[in-house]
Amino acid sequence: MISPATLTELRDAVLSAPRVIAVGAETKPRLSAAETVKISTRPLSGITEYEPSEFTFSALAGTPVREIIAALDEKGQYLPFDPMLVEAGSTIGGVVASGLSGPGRFRYGGVRDFILGVRFVDGLGRLLRLGGKVVKNAAGFDVPKFVVGSLGRFGVIGEVTFKVFPKPESTFTLQMPFSSEKMAQLANSRFEIDALDVLPGGETMLVRLAGPAKALEVLAKEIGGEVTDSTVWRVIRETPWSFKADITLDQINDFKTAHVSCGGNVAFSNAPPPRGMTLRGDSPLWIGGRPRFAIEAAVKQALDPQNRFPTLDD
Amino acid sequence: MSTALDRLAALLPPERLLVRPVELAAYESDGLTAFRTRPLAVVVPETTDEVIAIVRLCHELKLPFVARGSGTSLSGGSLPIAEGIVIALNRLNRILKLDPAQRIAVVEPGVVNTQVTLAAAPFGLHYAPDPSSQSICTIGGNVAFNSGGAHCLKYGMTANHILGIKAVLGTGEVVEWGGGSRERLGPDWCGLFTGNEGLFGIALEITLQLLPKAECFHTVLAGYCTLEQAGDAVSAVIASGLLPGAIEIMDALALEAATAAVHAEYPPGCEAVLIVELEGPHEVVAIERERLDAILSASSPVEMRPARDAEERLAIWKGRKSAFSAVGRLSPDFIVQDGVVPRRRLGEALRRIAEMSQETGLRVANVFHAGDGNLHPLILFDGREEGALHRAEDFAGRILRMCIEMGGSITGEHGIGVEKRDFLPDMFTADEIDCMQRLRAAFNPLGIANPGKMFPGSEAPSLSHVGLHPLEKAGVISRE
């Protein structure tokens, strides 16, 4: 394990071995379980810029998300997509590389929708900054989005810039029996649902509202169901799920034993899904295959011509 | 080049292979009228299979191609190549699927932006990205340039609403990424493809996320004596913790233009107008509008005009969205800029633009997305005057450098295109540009997909602006 403490050292670390992969707190260990030298980003930690008036911050890859959430909270802001495994120590670099978003992804989008810029070391050992530091930017290719979910296979993340939002005044959680009709109806309603999940077993649906407390009480009455403690979202977020699958509402019945998040768009489970990705354990990284196109090898060649990082299949 | 035309003729009937100068004239330019090039031919495919066959032929013959939707690019993104073809995609205008339960639409690239929202409206849904040209611009063009609009602060740009893309790449390979799910596994290929400015290939089918239409809007127009006061009001709204759907500012000259063009009425004596829009369930909006009204009242407006109904709201937006074209009434020619500065430096940026305007003697109208620091200075000039275009371009360049110096960007939503390619090295290092070039080469190794865009040092566009539109010179059209 190499532990660089600066971006220059990170670059040196990439060049120091023929094959490397970056790891953060290893809260999704299967994603980086490749036969390589490991580079720990954990010493590369700290918020480098935070401008509450701009709705943006930048942080080094190894910064624990917990620290970021605390700093944002002080200014009444938050990352709306509910980063996962925060208490287990997940780092912001790991959040980006894994592309893992929590239940809050439902309303405003996931990691990919809030990342603005990235500094990373490519396979040629170059420290590059792509994207931008402002909330709106269309200059150059959107490499920051590509890095989301790329599992450290195309470069090592050194620093990221994110957009944030003002934190809603309060949240309100309801629980009710699940049906896919009811879920579709709520997802396309006037209520601006904040999160919409189904607990394992497929019986119970959770609905979160966020906004001014006085208004939420009225909305909750109209939606119906049983008021429940909002801490349930913390449990969902912190559960070390073994698998993740991207699904659509019409597939929901095939994922009855899973925790279904984001209005029927994601399934987290501890039993292997028909297809999906392994986050922890010994199963193959990709279950049930994944789409493959020639462009993947060409982009790999462009960013990492010497195969310094493992491939998506390693 | 007759081989190329012969080979194209084998793929398409004669009426969909345009080669006569009179047919090509309409395709010589796009929204950036300062540049004009006549292509070898324009092809008009009607199916995705035809597009694939055309791109594969281009690959085989090393024939450059430029994909084009409605030609509204403000950065010259669909400027033709003299020795290449234009692939006009307007006839690929089918909405292939609209699934209200999954809240998605699958569309062909030639579908017009507002058509998606119109089709989704019966289900209570809408497509959020709303560039000012939304009534004519196409989804294919929006994807290629990652178009923005007035509601980016809350809902993001085009890329944030793209769930799946089927595309033909510059290599001729057909790929399909993502699909109906809002989540995905592995690298975000759709994210990388969106905003590629046509350098990677052509999107053939695009899966869009639809959002429920907000139940209730509260749209306020507030007039101010100075631009600075309007800017301060924006800061106060942002600091309050509200998240408006849109925050827009228009300055005096832009107001004058909108008044002339669409008979918009603004409070008299105002140097700036601020538009703020809240949206959501009526119970939420009722609470938030009280807070917003209090903040705005405290910001010394000359007048505050909340929209009392849907019609008044539409009128406010009509004035705002017509501003670009309306400026055409004030001046024979203008350049629209698209720089971004950190929001807190908006006031300073506007002051410096005003100073530059004084120095150069060129008038500037400012219309901008204040919520996200995205400026749209419109530099007015008369192309018939010797050197005027050059002075206007110089001015625009100074604004872009100022944006970079302030830590912003040279483009918020229009893209680099032809217009700003020489500024790319001001924003990115040689290594960073090399990295992007390597990516471009992976998708488009022969450089046939939209050459001459985004990267500096590419071949120069053939014709430069000379004042009048060719049809004006011919006496076919005239201006009011």
Side-chain angles (χ1 to χ4, degrees), chain A residues 89-228:
Chain A
S90 69
T91 62
I92 193 70
V95 165
V96 171
S98 68
L100 216 56
S101 309
R105 171 187 217 308
F106 181 73
R107 188 174 190 179
Y108 295 117
V111 184
R112 72 178 297 265
D113 299 295
F114 285 86
I115 192 166
L116 299 172
V118 65
R119 279 177 98 181
F120 70 104
V121 180
D122 72 359
L124 293 164
R126 304 183 298 186
L127 182 62
L128 309 170
R129 184 203 295 273
L130 290 165
K133 287 200 159 185
V134 279
V135 292
K136 199 173 184 186
N137 170 36
F141 299 137
D142 203 341
V143 174
K145 279 204 177 58
F146 183 71
V147 171
V148 174
S150 67
L151 311 179
R153 265 56 173 190
F154 298 85
V156 174
I157 301 167
E159 187 182 10
V160 288
T161 302
F162 267 87
K163 172 169 97 166
V164 298
F165 274 169
K167 198 173 181 172
E169 182 192 304
S170 65
T171 61
F172 207 93
T173 302
L174 297 163
Q175 140 176 344
M176 63 191 70
F178 165 76
S179 78
S180 57
E181 295 74 29
K182 181 74 180 164
M183 183 175 240
Q185 186 208 328
L186 285 171
N188 181 13
S189 68
R190 72 181 194 90
F191 303 118
E192 287 201 346
I193 304 292
D194 191 59
L196 189 55
D197 282 21
V198 185
L199 293 176
E203 302 287 325
T204 307
M205 180 158 66
L206 293 172
V207 182
R208 185 170 75 199
L209 298 169
K214 258 170 66 189
L216 299 192
E217 279 169 33
V218 183
L219 295 180
K221 273 206 189 97
E222 188 177 326
I223 294 169
E226 217 177 292
V227 179
T228 184

Side-chain angles (χ1 to χ4, degrees), chain B residues 253-273:
Chain B
L253 204 49
L255 296 175
E256 189 187 316
T259 306
V262 296
H263 309 293
E265 280 179 42
Y266 299 104
C270 289
E271 283 298 308
V273 150

